[in-house]
Amino acid sequence: GYTNGDVKLGLKSKVNTSSQAASHKATVNYSGIEGVGIAVEVDQDVAGKLSVTKDKYELRVPFSKDGGVNPDDVQLRMKWSQDL
């Protein structure tokens, strides 16, 4: 990956040597807003997800080239833990 200030770029490629199939994914992360994380992942088929995080919450918005954003697939997640 490459980082410059508040922006981090990444590119991941996978190649199956048996089938000669390849997949690619690009990631962009932005952390310039204090306490808020923004990330976008896109694969070679122009499908992926947009994530916005704040504290223990994450909003995930999957998208695709053909279908755009399906509101039924949007998720609001909360991470939590409890000591036992």
Side-chain angles (χ1 to χ4, degrees):
Y2 170 77
T3 302
N4 187 357
D6 298 330
V7 178
K8 181 178 179 183
L9 304 172
L11 178 61
K12 182 183 282 188
S13 295
K14 294 182 182 178
V15 178
N16 183 325
T17 55
S18 300
S19 66
Q20 299 299 311
S23 65
H24 312 284
K25 180 171 69 172
T27 306
V28 178
N29 293 289
Y30 178 71
S31 60
I33 303 169
E34 188 171 333
V36 176
I38 301 171
V40 178
E41 294 180 4
V42 181
D43 65 17
Q44 73 272 7
D45 298 322
V46 193
K49 71 177 179 179
L50 167 70
S51 298
V52 180
T53 57
K54 171 74 173 147
D55 299 327
K56 60 184 175 180
Y57 297 97
E58 177 185 12
L59 177 66
R60 283 189 182 178
V61 183
F63 60 88
S64 67
K65 174 179 66 173
D66 300 325
V69 173
N70 181 348
D72 293 335
D73 294 335
V74 174
Q75 300 175 355
L76 179 60
R77 296 176 165 210
M78 183 181 82
K79 294 181 183 178
W80 63 277
S81 64
Q82 182 175 355
D83 293 331
L84 298 175

